[in-house]
Amino acid sequence: MEKLKMRQILSLTFTLFAIFFGAGNMIFPPAMGQVAGEHYLQALAGFILTDAGIALLGIIAVVLVGNKIMDLGDLVSRRFSLCLSITVYLLIGPLFALPRTGSVSYELAVRSYVPQEYEWLASLLVTAVFFALTYYLSGNPGKVVDIIGKYMTPILIVSIVLLYLACLFLDKSQHALQYGAIGQAQGEYREIAFFKGMIEGYNALDGPAGPVFAIIIIHAITGFQVKERKNVVKYTVISGIGAVLILSIIYYMLTYIGATTHTIFENGGALLHGVASDLFGPVGGLVLGASVFLACMTTSIGLTTSFADYFHELLPSVSYRKITAAVCLFSFAVSNVGLSYLIAVSQPVLMMIYPALIVLILLSFVRKWIGDRKMVYILSMIGAFCFAFLNAMDNIGITFGLFTEWARKLPLYELHLGWMLPAVCGAVTGFLPIWKKHRKPSMDRNKINLVDCCAKNE
């Protein structure tokens, strides 16, 4: 019987937690808490659902259908699988997640110590050093990532816990920043805090990253000699629930810090550094900044190597080092648009892409009933993407005439969930007998392919 010991399950739990918790994720809950005010718990619940929740479902979906994200895409077609993989790697690579590691490092570690007129120059220098180190260390990432991750992630978590306890118990009446009771919610958080929190959860980018890094948890579980797929799924679920619980506690502390801080900051990174420096003096800001810088470095190295590995496998004629150089240079350029602007640009893009990914993940759980009806996946994802696109564009003030007017009449549109009904209609239409079925050779999916697991996929 394939049964893991408690210490092995805990090891898997913390592995998943490390996958979910990037230093960049720290910046969103505090900013959300400050705006959500009295509704911060509802907003937090929505944030966790679309951040760790979708990531965990994505990992489980991949474990159920195969070993990697392309196996999930193969439910539709090999061509779609390729497009899905490229899109996700670009999202968690040079388009958004990777540049954000550099921006967050500058924001929390350096920006507050630089005169305003030199901020642009300091940003260039810091991010140049950051991505130069990323490029250099990506050549042999193992030991560096292990050493930094072993010490810096715990220090980062301790810093968050201390900040939370200080906000909870310290007398803050004599401090420079303004603190106090949790205030009233602002903007959309007054009426739809939970759903607004869901949109904020998109920004963390754990949802698309989950299926990509499923191979890591599969490899970790099979490393304990667990071979039956049902047992791999079981221990993925158990360790995943534990990881989500730990992450929820960390996110709660960060959201509470934002909710009780009344001084307005440009973004969550500036808020965290400001609170740390105010409550613990310059040393507090320095420790937090250094921890975030190094933790972001481990995230940056991991994302860069995963991206380069994948595209080198896709394009063998292009060397691994050329790909890492290109991705680091591009990320350096994008990171200097500023953290707040980067977040503002990424959100509508993620609002378009997330619904289609969610639909694919959820439908994969009922693939036994869908069978060979690939149009169920295709039409459902098309419906979700098209109406999510209209909603995202409408959210930033861009409309498309009658199309937008029609979309606004959909149920849940104001909650940014107008894509749900078109997705359901698309799935139902895909079941109609007018579509050609695509049969695939049957294969034994009861056991994990250990050869694939041990291959260098990420």
Side-chain angles (χ1 to χ4, degrees), residues 97-409:
L98 194 50
R100 196 173 68 200
T101 60
S103 297
V104 170
S105 297
Y106 166 70
E107 192 80 36
L108 272 82
V110 177
R111 183 179 178 183
S112 61
Y113 304 107
V114 178
Q116 189 172 358
E117 61 268 26
Y118 297 115
E119 284 184 353
W120 65 274
L121 179 60
S123 176
L124 285 173
L125 291 174
V126 171
T127 52
V129 170
F130 182 88
F131 286 108
L133 285 171
T134 296
Y135 171 74
Y136 176 74
L137 296 173
S138 293
N140 186 21
K143 288 186 177 180
V144 176
V145 172
D146 288 343
I147 292 170
I148 294 177
K150 183 177 180 180
Y151 297 105
M152 284 303 109
T153 300
I155 291 174
L156 195 57
I157 293 172
V158 169
S159 300
I160 294 169
V161 172
L162 290 176
L163 278 179
Y164 168 73
L165 293 175
C167 286
L168 197 61
F169 297 115
L170 277 185
D171 177 12
K172 299 176 288 294
S173 58
Q174 303 301 317
H175 287 269
L177 299 184
Q178 294 181 352
Y179 306 92
I182 296 172
Q184 293 186 343
Q186 302 172 35
E188 290 184 303
Y189 286 100
R190 293 192 187 98
E191 303 294 335
I192 55 170
F194 175 81
F195 300 99
K196 183 64 176 172
M198 288 177 61
I199 301 300
E200 289 297 320
Y202 292 170
N203 287 322
L205 279 168
D206 283 328
V212 168
F213 295 121
I215 188 68
I216 297 175
I217 197 66
I218 292 173
H219 181 71
I221 294 173
T222 54
F224 293 130
Q225 301 305 309
V226 176
K227 298 179 183 180
E228 291 293 331
R229 190 173 293 276
K230 65 179 182 179
N231 291 328
V232 175
V233 173
K234 180 178 78 171
Y235 288 117
T236 299
V237 172
I238 292 172
S239 57
I241 291 172
V244 170
L245 288 174
I246 298 171
L247 194 65
S248 299
I249 294 170
I250 299 295
Y251 280 160
Y252 167 77
M253 294 179 183
L254 290 168
T255 307
Y256 181 85
I257 291 168
T260 55
T261 303
H262 293 179
T263 302
I264 303 300
F265 289 89
E266 184 181 358
N267 54 60
L271 188 153
L272 279 179
H273 189 275
V275 172
S277 299
D278 186 55
L279 296 181
F280 296 107
V283 174
L286 287 171
V287 171
L288 178 67
S291 301
V292 167
F293 185 92
L294 292 173
C296 279
M297 180 63 66
T298 64
T299 302
S300 179
I301 294 169
L303 293 176
T304 300
T305 54
S306 295
F307 183 91
D309 283 340
Y310 175 77
F311 280 92
H312 179 55
E313 184 180 338
L314 200 63
L315 304 167
S317 60
V318 184
S319 72
Y320 173 88
R321 293 306 280 171
K322 284 183 179 179
I323 296 173
T324 44
V327 75
C328 287
L329 282 171
F330 186 86
S331 300
F332 160 70
V334 175
S335 67
N336 281 282
V337 303
L339 181 59
S340 297
Y341 185 75
L342 187 59
I343 294 170
V345 170
S346 65
Q347 188 169 80
V349 176
L350 297 175
M351 286 177 67
M352 301 173 202
I353 294 173
Y354 252 86
L357 180 63
I358 291 171
V359 165
L360 176 61
I361 289 172
L362 293 179
L363 288 177
S364 73
F365 288 99
V366 292
R367 70 190 186 286
K368 185 171 75 172
W369 293 277
I370 294 175
D372 302 318
R373 302 178 183 88
K374 291 185 180 291
M375 292 304 294
V376 173
Y377 300 104
I378 294 170
L379 295 179
S380 186
M381 285 190 292
I382 288 175
F385 177 80
C386 290
F387 286 91
F389 172 82
L390 291 172
N391 202 332
M393 292 294 98
D394 193 12
N395 202 48
I396 59 175
I398 300 175
T399 58
F400 295 88
L402 290 175
F403 293 106
T404 303
E405 290 298 324
W406 183 38
R408 286 173 178 168
K409 296 177 182 178

Side-chain angles (χ1 to χ4, degrees), residues 33-67:
Q34 189 166 57
V35 182
E38 59 189 334
H39 296 157
Y40 78 101
L41 289 177
Q42 295 98 303
L44 176 62
F47 184 93
I48 293 170
L49 175 64
T50 52
D51 174 43
I54 297 300
L56 178 58
L57 286 177
I59 290 175
I60 295 171
V62 170
V63 172
L64 286 170
V65 301
N67 300 327

